[in-house]
């Protein structure tokens, strides 16, 4: 068996999430079925993170174990051919050691949340950003976000369906920036709770709208109570950006 690390880019709009679902399409199911058609093998995909329905990925790291003698380049090309027309692409493929695991070897994860701060309807990027027509004060949002950086009990920002053993997490970065009509929130941590990023974004958006003062974000954090949450941002503005690992992987085979 050879372990292949995959980098996946996908539009989450038509999927019920990354993880295989009982009642609907998922990214995992699409990739596993494509791998079956390529290799004739029952393949299980493991990924660095989980994404909800409607959440996108720029570079999700995953791995599969395959017995068939095939190069990374050929596997990538074949998977992409069989994934069409699903909005999923394998952008990188490489052989990794047998003890490398996309989820358990991961030392850090990064997300970006994109907000379209404009009144005109979205056309080209519909379902790619959360549209907020009210003016947002990105500087105030950034200042409020710093309250959440560090080691905290994030119960307020945790879904009731979260399966994590503890609500205590260390948030390494939470930064807000504006680029024209777009406001971006960057979040980085070793791991996140279910809905944590979307919940933090929702509260920061309330600050940006002037409906919450900056101090209220810290008060919501200190409450350790989901009832103190102001708003859970919708999924379609969220992107999985990067997964970090402690050492370089085996060099990819990039030739045909």
């Amino acid at each position: 068996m050879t372990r292949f690390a995959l980098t996946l880019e996908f539009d989450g709009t038509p999927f019920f999430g990354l993880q295989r679902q009982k009642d609907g399409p998922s990214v995992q199911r699409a990739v596993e079925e494509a791998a079956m058609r390529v290799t004739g093998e029952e393949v299980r995909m493991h990924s660095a993170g989980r994404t909800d329905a409607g959440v996108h990925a720029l570079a999700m790291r995953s791995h599969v174990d395959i017995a068939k003698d095939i190069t990374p380049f050929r596997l990538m090309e074949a998977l992409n051919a069989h994934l069409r027309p699903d909005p999923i692409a394998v952008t990188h493929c490489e052989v990794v050691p047998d003890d490398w695991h996309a989820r358990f070897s991961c030392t850090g994860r990064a997300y970006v949340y994109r907000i379209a701060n404009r009144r005109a309807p979205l056309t080209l990027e519909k379902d790619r950003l959360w549209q907020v027509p009210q003016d947002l004060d990105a500087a105030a949002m950034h200042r409020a976000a710093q309250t959440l950086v560090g080691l905290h009990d994030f119960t307020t920002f945790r879904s009731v369906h979260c399966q994590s053993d503890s609500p205590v997490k260390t948030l390494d970065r939470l930064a807000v920036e504006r680029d024209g009509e777009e406001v971006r929130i960057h979040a980085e941590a070793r791991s996140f709770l279910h809905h944590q990023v979307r919940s933090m974004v929702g509260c920061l958006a309330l600050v940006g709208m002037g409906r919450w003062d900056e101090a209220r974000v810290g008060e919501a954090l200190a409450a350790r109570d989901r009832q103190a949450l102001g708003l859970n941002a919708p999924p379609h503005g969220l992107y999985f950006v990067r997964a970090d690992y402690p050492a370089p992987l085996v060099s990819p085979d990039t030739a045909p």
Side-chain angles (χ1 to χ4, degrees):
M1 299 288 285
T2 301
R3 180 157 293 183
F4 293 90
L6 310 175
T7 301
L8 303 178
E9 175 186 282
F10 58 82
D11 171 2
T13 306
F15 301 108
F16 283 29
L18 184 149
Q19 297 292 112
R20 182 179 278 270
Q21 307 289 323
K22 293 180 181 178
D23 303 320
S26 68
V27 175
Q28 180 182 356
R29 179 178 177 178
V31 175
E32 289 174 351
E33 290 180 351
M36 164 65 88
R37 291 192 289 272
V38 172
T39 67
E41 303 169 28
E42 291 280 353
V43 173
R44 176 77 181 274
M45 185 177 81
H46 301 268
S47 298
R50 300 180 179 183
T51 61
D52 290 331
V55 175
H56 316 294
L58 302 179
M60 175 62 71
R61 298 309 302 271
S62 305
H63 80 257
V64 292
D65 293 331
I66 292 175
K68 181 181 176 69
D69 184 14
I70 188 170
T71 67
F73 180 84
R74 292 296 186 189
L75 177 61
M76 179 176 69
E77 291 286 283
L79 287 175
N80 284 334
H82 287 286
L83 283 167
R84 299 187 184 101
D86 286 333
I88 306 170
V90 181
T91 62
H92 195 73
C93 179
E94 56 198 312
V95 173
V96 292
D98 293 344
D99 62 352
W100 186 90
H101 196 284
R103 178 184 174 190
F104 298 119
S105 300
C106 186
T107 59
R109 295 161 174 87
Y111 288 86
V112 64
Y113 195 99
R114 301 174 63 200
I115 299 175
N117 191 203
R118 72 183 214 184
R119 298 193 63 81
L122 294 176
T123 55
L124 299 178
E125 295 197 279
K126 185 177 182 296
D127 297 324
R128 306 292 187 278
L129 295 85
W130 176 27
Q131 185 176 2
V132 177
Q134 301 96 323
D135 288 339
L136 292 175
D137 183 341
M141 293 169 66
H142 179 76
R143 289 192 298 268
Q146 304 322 298
T147 304
L148 302 176
V149 175
L151 177 66
H152 301 290
D153 181 329
F154 284 98
T155 296
T156 300
F157 303 92
R158 178 189 194 186
S159 166
V160 295
H161 303 295
C162 182
Q163 298 177 356
S164 178
D165 292 336
S166 170
V168 177
K169 296 288 181 182
T170 299
L171 184 62
D172 297 319
R173 181 186 182 217
L174 190 62
V176 183
E177 64 177 7
R178 176 181 285 279
D179 182 5
E181 293 181 332
E182 185 173 331
V183 174
R184 302 187 191 105
I185 299 94
H186 302 272
E188 298 180 13
R190 185 180 182 90
S191 62
F192 291 89
L193 301 167
H194 189 209
H195 284 185
Q196 182 180 347
V197 176
R198 289 169 54 195
S199 297
M200 294 188 301
V201 168
C203 292
L204 294 178
L206 293 176
V207 172
M209 296 176 202
R211 292 168 56 185
W212 275 23
D213 60 38
E214 296 174 27
R216 191 165 173 184
V217 173
E219 293 167 2
L221 175 68
R224 302 179 185 178
D225 182 354
R226 186 68 175 172
Q227 297 301 313
L229 183 73
L231 180 63
N232 197 39
H236 54 267
L238 183 59
Y239 294 73
F240 185 96
V241 174
R242 188 184 75 249
D244 297 326
Y245 295 91
L249 304 183
V250 176
S251 297
D253 176 357
T254 56

